[in-house]
Amino acid sequence: MTHITAGFMEYEALNKAVRSMEDDQITIEQANGQRYIGSALMDKHLFIKGTAGNALGCFLDGGTITVYGNGQDATGDTMNDGKIVIHGSCGDGTGYAMRGGCIYIRDSSGYRSGIHMKAYQEKQPLLIIGDRAGSFLGEYQAGGTIIVLGRNQDGRPPVGYFCGTGMHGGTMYLRCDTLPVSLPKQVSARDAVDSDKQVLSCLLDEYCTIFSFDKQMLLASHFFVLQANSAAPYRMLYTHV
Amino acid sequence: MGINYLYPPFEIIRNQDRCIACRVCERQCANLVHHYDEDKKRMTADESLCVNCHRCVSLCPTRALKIVKTDHTFKENANWKTEVIEDIYRQAQSGGVLLASMGTPKEYPVYWDKMLINASQVTNPSIDPLREPMETRTYLGKKSAKITRDGEGRIITSTTGQLKLDIPIMFSAMSYGSISYNAHKSLAMAASELGTFYNTGEGGLHKDFYQYGKNTIVQVASGRFGVHPEYLNAGAAIEIKMGQGAKPGIGGHLPGSKIGEDISATRMIPLHADAISPAPHHDIYSIEDLRQLVYALKEATRYTKPVIVKVAAVHNISAIASGIARSGADIIAIDGFRGGTGAAPARIRDNVGIPIELALASVDQRLRQEGIRGNVSLVVGGSIRSSSDVIKAIALGADAVYIATSALVALGCHLCRTCHSGKCNWGIATQNPELVKRLNPEVGSQHLVNLLTAWNHEIKEMMGGMGINSIEALKGNRLMLRGIALHETELKILGIAHAGQ
């Protein structure tokens, strides 16, 4: 394990230092919002203490990033593979267009989390948020899985407005007793049944182990399953000139 | 179904004396216009299906066919023209948005045609490019404002990536999906041979084309289709697509029906899933946010690739460009409103945006005034049709131009403007394997090479005529242009004098 103290280092110098290290286990101490940490890395394991800046793990292609603190905006932007674990909360646009790997957030995430999430063959991304997500969760979702656990929401919907706007693929699981108000018409919602709980149980396994959450207690609650209403909600009626 | 008010716009004239009923026209038409009438023992046609692409005309061995505009008319009306009335019929019958392809066919001023180029007489000798060296090579990227030296007094050369172009012309973005595999291959091969670049568009890069990487610009748009570290590193530069001239403010939508196996693999989305690229990047609401993506891409590619930001030419383009020039981008690409598209709402294509000539002149002027012109290179597109358009663009301040429609025409496109139907008989704007194979990439790339080689020679001749022997010396040299039939405001924006002045 190699240690770097980020302090007030510029992000370019910090990221260059991280990339040039031969050790694949690196701890970054005193992170102060430096951007792009772990960008496009594929074979390293980063442990960040402090606050990771915008676009943490953007284009990540493997390896792991663990933050003991909060992430900021665009965590895991366009990530292709690997794992990001946040022992805290994240800002807006978490997992923008992620296509693979997983992002585990212990607490909450901002607006537009999981926007443009995709999937392709073995690439099946997973975003799990422990408490609540802001508005526009899973906007334009085209694939993959988003789970929001609402751990401190007492059964209230753990999402903001316009959840799943433009959704045309993938699945969202929301742990709550009532549906979010004004779900867009592209989204269909149903109660989770036993088979869904089995899927959830697998998906939550690692997450609950990492954060020491009681998986059975979580699974005992009510979940909604949100999916796209039709295969092609954007099939507007066009007429050709 | 009510009555169909739409009369077919074209008539198919078949000279029955020449027709040998070989049925080539029937086999060649994906729109199923032609068929053989067994009873009458002759070819016949349903002209209502014809898009006037000339495939049958070009392949008819006896030249028995021609397509003419119908002379059937409404009562003539300068305000309520045929197309206006017919569009209302279409929308009244379908309730749909009017969808169209390629650049606007409407009659807007083309400023390239209202500018004339200078030549030397007597005092400043012209140069013969066949006899004397003439430089059309140019470099795109951030240029240092001042020379810095190390302790030994040696000049520290720029470390930011530069694109080296042997000719100041690149092929602009057309995605694999909007155009065919063979069309992409033609562009890639031609770019390699010409020492310039083609652009993947937002549909990812087919695995077969990674070999052309050093002549490839890879695009990143809001949907991030097929974007991953290997893709970003495959090209010579990365382009962030913020907008497109044909449809400013509108995103892209490749319908699921066009997402076959190869396209699905290249875009990395499931078969037959819609591919939606919304107009905005939802992580970019400001120049600061744009800067974040520019540097995310630079970090991901270890600062080895220049980053291009492509925007549509809109009303306050100069202020927008000024912001982009401060965002860390190396190159700004501006797409004028006459630029092409594989599909766009017709009302937007025909009414939104501004001509590239005015956008270019005002952006170049603004960046100079602010002392940041060297921060970025300027690339312009949106209907560059000839070598003289290229010369005029460079004299107005462009570093290079993007062409796409011209390139497609070189590949055989007949501008029938029905790309959105996916039934391109020339194998360009289609994913139907039977149609795609009609375009031979070897022949296609040769046509592109021929076209740009010819343009390059014309560029040299025109430069030589002005007594200029390098593209660099022509760049922003507005004294070499004069306006013709332009009013004062237009001349002021273009920054040129009127002919005779």
Side-chain angles (χ1 to χ4, degrees), chain A residues 11-16 19 35-42 53-56 58-61 73-75 77-81 92-93 96-99 112 115-116 118-124 136 139-140 142-143 166-168 231-241, chain B residues 87 90-91 94-100 220-230 232-233 253 261 264-283 285 288 291-297 299-303 345-346 349 417-418 420-421:
Chain A
Y11 65 77
E12 197 178 335
L14 174 65
N15 295 328
K16 202 172 168 189
R19 283 197 294 271
R35 293 180 170 192
Y36 319 117
I37 298 175
S39 157
L41 286 185
M42 54 189 300
N54 289 358
L56 169 75
C58 56
F59 309 105
L60 191 69
D61 208 13
D73 294 344
T75 298
D77 183 355
T78 323
M79 79 187 258
N80 198 44
D81 206 345
D92 298 340
Y96 186 117
M98 71 185 286
R99 182 192 302 113
R112 297 207 146 94
I115 177 172
H116 284 301
K118 297 177 170 41
Y120 177 65
Q121 294 181 348
E122 77 283 5
K123 299 270 181 211
Q124 296 291 336
F136 302 101
E139 196 177 17
Y140 301 109
M167 185 177 188
H168 55 292
Y234 274 75
R235 194 179 294 144
M236 261 163 97
L237 182 58
Y238 287 114
T239 186
H240 295 185
V241 176
Chain B
D87 282 349
R90 283 191 183 92
Q91 294 194 292
S94 68
V97 168
L98 294 165
L99 194 70
V220 172
S222 62
R224 306 276 209 274
F225 294 108
V227 176
H228 46 78
E230 194 190 354
L232 295 176
N233 282 295
H253 173 202
E261 215 155 285
S264 142
T266 304
R267 297 201 171 208
M268 302 182 85
I269 50 171
L271 267 180
H272 308 303
D274 283 3
I276 298 167
S277 269
H281 289 241
H282 283 93
D283 53 345
Y285 286 9
E288 290 75 15
R291 184 182 181 83
Q292 179 178 317
L293 183 59
V294 167
Y295 278 91
L297 294 166
E299 281 280 338
T301 53
R302 315 307 183 225
Y303 295 88
R349 180 195 66 178
R417 308 198 304 261
T418 43
H420 51 281
S421 74

Side-chain angles (χ1 to χ4, degrees), chain B residues 188-243:
Chain B
M189 289 168 68
S192 294
E193 191 170 337
L194 289 160
T196 184
F197 300 86
Y198 86 108
N199 187 315
T200 61
E202 57 185 298
L205 180 60
H206 193 285
K207 59 187 183 324
D208 295 353
F209 301 148
Y210 274 75
Q211 58 175 310
Y212 302 104
K214 69 182 176 57
N215 296 93
T216 304
I217 294 168
V218 295
Q219 203 179 55
V220 172
S222 62
R224 306 276 209 274
F225 294 108
V227 176
H228 46 78
E230 194 190 354
Y231 168 82
L232 295 176
N233 282 295
I238 302 169
E239 181 170 274
I240 300 171
K241 180 192 178 181
M242 299 300 305

